[in-house]
Amino acid sequence: MTTVKTLLGLPGLRLRPRAGTDLLDRPVTRIYVTELSDPGRYLSAGELVLSGLLWWHAPGDAEPFVAALARSGAAALAASGADSGGIPDDVVDACVRHRIPLLEVPADLSFSVITEQVVLALAAASDSARKRLQAAAEAPVETLVERASAELGLPCWVVSGLGRLVAGTAPLPMPPEDVVRRYAAREPGPLTVLPVEGRHAVPWLIAVGGSLSTAQAELAEEVAGLVGVTRARAPRPDVSLPAEVCVVALRTEGSDESRDVLSELLPDALLLDSAGDTAYAAAARPSVTGLSTVEPLLRATRILCGVGDPGPREESIESARYAVEVAARRPGRVAVVRAGEVDVHELLLAGAPDGLRAALRRRVLGPLLAYDAEQHTDLVHTVRVFLECSGSPTRAAKALHVHVNTLRYRIGRAGELLGADLTEFTDQLDVYLALRAGD
């Protein structure tokens, strides 16, 4: 990493510090030459600003210039007083006030020489940094991130596309899921974010705490490649599970990403055999948060997740399989259903093919459906409300805003058409299942 102190040691430049001697460890990323009185719009963090002070005419002129450097995060100001009789006190005071290191350039030194020397120093530092990073290629991700932060002079993080912080060198200034969301939406922000290389359905992202120069961006891309290799090389941990587990079924409609997503979602789970576009994993206490975060980064048109009941593996697999079928009938691009939160009849119906569900509905409700179509009535709705009110005429009449005698008449007529006694539990159960088969 090239710092302001590095530049002071370059042979032949003879730069002399005039202010900010306690700030010489600031990293330098590039050099920018300007004679504008307010160069703020053209500056970026880490720049060495080189100026002949042609913009300075009287005390007070230094304030807007140096303030612009401070706002942009400039590394230092290298100034020549050849055309102003030395560096004015006004400039020195402004640099002290805004905490900008000030380096005095000898009057006989050409700016082209300074530029050439600084560019060569930056290139050499970049090559050295790349070699140091490559030397750490076998290190864990945490070590690579620490090395990258040291070379870039900025905090670094690795974030999973599911919104999980994998590694970092400082507290992340925003939730990990916000990093992913901003990246997916291409929203500008305080972090520079780029993808980690690799053939994984769920990407990892490298976030750097600031804007990057060309050399820094190249170095960050080098880090992305190394982290990608480390990720691909890392084996899944050996998993020892208790007799009772919780199985998660994950389906990615329209893509084959389910196993990769489940592997990243549950890194400590035991991956089971996949079936079609659905993958299964068993864990002791699985957490399935983050699917909405990663959804924009996948090819899948929908992500469906079913969490089985805790128990023996085969039983949990079955309940997870039914739960994911229930999720398939829920709205939204991401649907998560836990078997324990779903009524038993809904789980049972979820396992029935669509053709069987339609046949069941026609067989049980056929006469009632035909009557409604001919008479332009809605007895089907009346029966459903009645059954969902536990067969209570009073509650159903209130829900439908009709007189209780009207409700009793309609239920009696529906029972005649169906050949069923809608006050008997077994008939109620058959009819209700047929009604729900159409959902």
Side-chain angles (χ1 to χ4, degrees):
M1 180 175 63
T2 301
T3 65
V4 179
K5 184 182 293 185
T6 305
L7 304 183
L8 291 175
L10 292 179
L13 293 191
R14 295 172 285 129
L15 301 176
R16 183 167 68 96
R18 292 289 306 277
T21 55
D22 59 329
L23 305 171
L24 300 182
D25 289 331
R26 286 184 175 180
V28 177
T29 59
R30 71 184 92 186
I31 186 168
Y32 174 67
V33 182
T34 184
E35 298 300 339
L36 296 173
S37 59
D38 185 354
R41 71 178 66 182
Y42 304 109
L43 297 178
S44 58
E47 286 183 322
L48 171 70
V49 179
L50 186 57
S51 177
L53 305 182
L54 299 182
W55 46 267
W56 189 90
H57 302 287
D61 289 350
E63 176 60 27
F65 184 91
V66 178
L69 269 59
R71 285 194 302 271
S72 69
L77 169 63
S80 171
D83 295 315
S84 56
I87 296 180
D89 292 340
D90 179 41
V91 176
V92 178
D93 293 342
C95 287
V96 171
R97 187 164 54 253
H98 289 285
R99 295 182 58 76
I100 293 293
L102 174 61
L103 311 181
E104 184 172 2
V105 177
D108 62 342
L109 188 61
S110 166
F111 277 15
S112 63
V113 173
I114 298 175
T115 301
E116 180 182 6
Q117 290 285 326
V118 172
V119 169
L120 288 174
L122 291 172
S126 179
D127 288 342
S128 298
R130 187 173 290 107
K131 291 176 181 177
R132 287 191 294 269
L133 283 172
Q134 290 173 348
E138 301 293 326
V141 172
E142 293 79 5
T143 302
L144 284 172
V145 172
E146 290 174 0
R147 296 283 180 88
S149 178
E151 299 296 347
L152 294 170
L154 295 167
C156 297
W157 304 268
V158 173
V159 175
S160 161
L162 284 159
R164 175 175 64 91
L165 179 62
V166 179
T169 59
L172 196 58
M174 64 181 70
E177 56 268 25
D178 283 358
V179 176
V180 180
R181 180 184 58 78
R182 285 175 177 270
Y183 172 79
R186 300 297 187 266
E187 291 182 11
L191 305 179
T192 298
V193 182
L194 60 157
V196 167
E197 296 179 12
R199 297 180 179 180
H200 296 88
V202 179
W204 281 5
L205 306 174
I206 288 183
V208 183
S211 58
L212 304 181
S213 65
T214 301
Q216 285 178 310
E218 292 174 353
L219 196 60
E221 290 174 359
E222 184 78 24
V223 176
L226 293 174
V227 171
V229 171
T230 300
R231 181 189 182 190
R233 189 175 57 236
R236 286 188 65 86
D238 292 332
V239 179
S240 177
L241 295 175
E244 291 200 349
V245 297
C246 191
V247 172
V248 175
L250 189 87
R251 178 179 301 167
T252 49
E253 291 188 346
S255 80
D256 58 356
E257 300 163 305
S258 60
R259 190 171 181 84
D260 276 354
V261 174
L262 195 54
S263 177
E264 180 68 19
L265 179 69
L266 302 173
D268 297 324
L270 177 65
L271 293 178
L272 308 176
D273 291 338
S274 302
D277 59 357
T278 306
Y280 296 84
R285 295 181 180 84
S287 172
V288 294
T289 60
L291 293 175
S292 296
T293 300
V294 76
E295 180 269 328
L297 303 177
L298 301 180
R299 303 192 317 274
T301 55
R302 296 186 75 204
I303 303 176
L304 310 174
C305 181
V307 182
D309 290 320
R313 184 185 302 180
E314 293 305 317
E315 292 182 12
S316 190
I317 288 175
E318 286 302 306
S319 61
R321 182 170 66 85
Y322 285 116
V324 84
E325 295 299 337
V326 174
R329 300 180 183 278
R330 300 281 174 89
R333 293 177 61 86
V334 177
V336 178
V337 170
R338 298 180 181 276
E341 300 171 357
V342 181
D343 292 336
V344 173
H345 72 269
E346 191 174 1
L347 278 177
L348 293 175
L349 285 172
D354 289 343
L356 178 59
R357 293 163 68 101
L360 172 64
R361 182 176 173 83
R362 284 194 303 272
R363 176 165 61 84
V364 177
L365 302 179
L368 194 57
L369 294 169
Y371 181 85
D372 276 348
E374 293 172 1
Q375 302 297 321
H376 304 291
T377 56
D378 198 2
L379 285 182
V380 169
H381 177 65
T382 298
V383 171
R384 180 160 182 162
V385 172
F386 173 71
L387 296 177
E388 289 177 347
C389 288
S390 303
S392 168
T394 303
R395 288 173 54 196
K398 185 176 181 180
L400 292 168
H401 305 290
V402 298
H403 194 276
V404 67
N405 289 337
T406 302
L407 187 284
R408 286 195 175 96
Y409 170 77
R410 292 179 181 178
I411 293 301
R413 180 62 178 138
E416 293 173 2
L417 292 167
L418 295 172
D421 184 353
L422 293 179
T423 64
E424 290 292 329
F425 173 74
T426 53
D427 285 359
Q428 288 178 340
L429 181 60
D430 286 346
V431 171
Y432 187 67
L433 287 175
L435 287 166
R436 294 301 302 267
D439 291 349

